[in-house]
Amino acid sequence: MKIHCTDSLVGDWRSVVADAMTEFNSISTRGTLGVSFVDEAAEDQANVIVWNVDGTRSTSFAGTTTTVNLRGNASAGNTRTFSIGGRMEMAHVFLPSTPGQYSQMRALGRPVRLVIAFHELIHCCGLHNDDHGGLAFHGHPSATRARNAADDVVSVQTENGYVHMPPLVITPETGRRIRANWTSGE
């Protein structure tokens, strides 16, 4: 899939998304998931478009309009997919501009933003939050602020107990679901 990062991305979000793509592609290659992401400079050539949002944003594709309301200090993103004839054709990814930045606290560090971006890439593969039984993890992730932003992590529960990300992981069930969406005969 071709990803275009819009000019709305603030701070180092553009490089975070690039790193999430690299990590996803590596996992996809090892797990033969059948899908990968590449950077696309031209928005009209991309089938995934990424924005930062702090508030409400409306977007459309093929006559369908959707509105997203995302706080700029949220600790999660939001992805909307658009299908034509049952086939996913476009995804719009909305990332919070300064995730986890609450009154008197610093924003969540790059490692947590990497997990957020990676999670949204999984949605671009056709998986939804209803699929959380095996999405990237089980249960709800929990961001943990370390003394330094560079050491922040996301704790998630997997089949094998709690894991701290990064490094990024997906469960076997997530791999199976992505593979089923992107390879023929499975």
Side-chain angles (χ1 to χ4, degrees), residues 1-110:
M1 285 191 269
K2 297 178 182 178
I3 294 184
H4 174 77
C5 293
T6 66
D7 291 340
S8 74
L9 293 183
V10 296
D12 67 346
W13 266 115
R14 187 175 304 274
S15 66
V16 168
V17 170
D19 289 349
M21 289 169 40
T22 298
E23 294 276 343
F24 181 92
N25 291 345
S26 177
I27 290 169
S28 182
T29 298
R30 286 192 312 273
T32 61
L33 302 182
V35 63
S36 61
F37 294 95
V38 295
D39 188 44
E40 174 56 57
E43 183 173 330
D44 64 345
Q45 297 297 310
N47 52 352
V48 176
I49 302 173
V50 183
W51 289 276
N52 272 136
V53 176
D54 185 0
T56 302
R57 178 167 185 110
S58 292
T59 186
S60 339
F61 177 74
T64 301
T65 300
T66 186
T67 300
V68 171
N69 188 7
L70 182 66
R71 291 183 341 264
N73 64 358
S75 57
N78 191 314
T79 295
R80 300 296 172 99
T81 58
F82 299 89
S83 299
I84 297 175
R87 177 186 158 119
M88 202 279 289
E89 296 288 335
M90 174 66 75
H92 291 180
V93 175
F94 305 93
L95 300 170
S97 50
T98 54
Q101 184 177 16
Y102 300 105
S103 172
Q104 305 298 323
M105 297 176 100
R106 65 170 169 75
L108 291 166
R110 182 182 176 90

Side-chain angles (χ1 to χ4, degrees), residues 107-156:
L108 291 166
R110 182 182 176 90
V112 173
R113 287 181 285 126
L114 178 65
V115 174
I116 292 169
F118 180 77
H119 177 91
E120 298 310 318
L121 293 180
I122 291 172
H123 288 311
C124 294
C125 294
L127 276 67
H128 303 285
N129 279 335
D130 319 12
D131 300 325
H132 257 278
L135 195 46
F137 34 80
H138 299 290
H140 296 284
S142 173
T144 303
R145 291 182 204 286
R147 184 174 297 243
N148 299 309
D151 297 325
D152 288 351
V153 296
V154 174
S155 300
V156 295

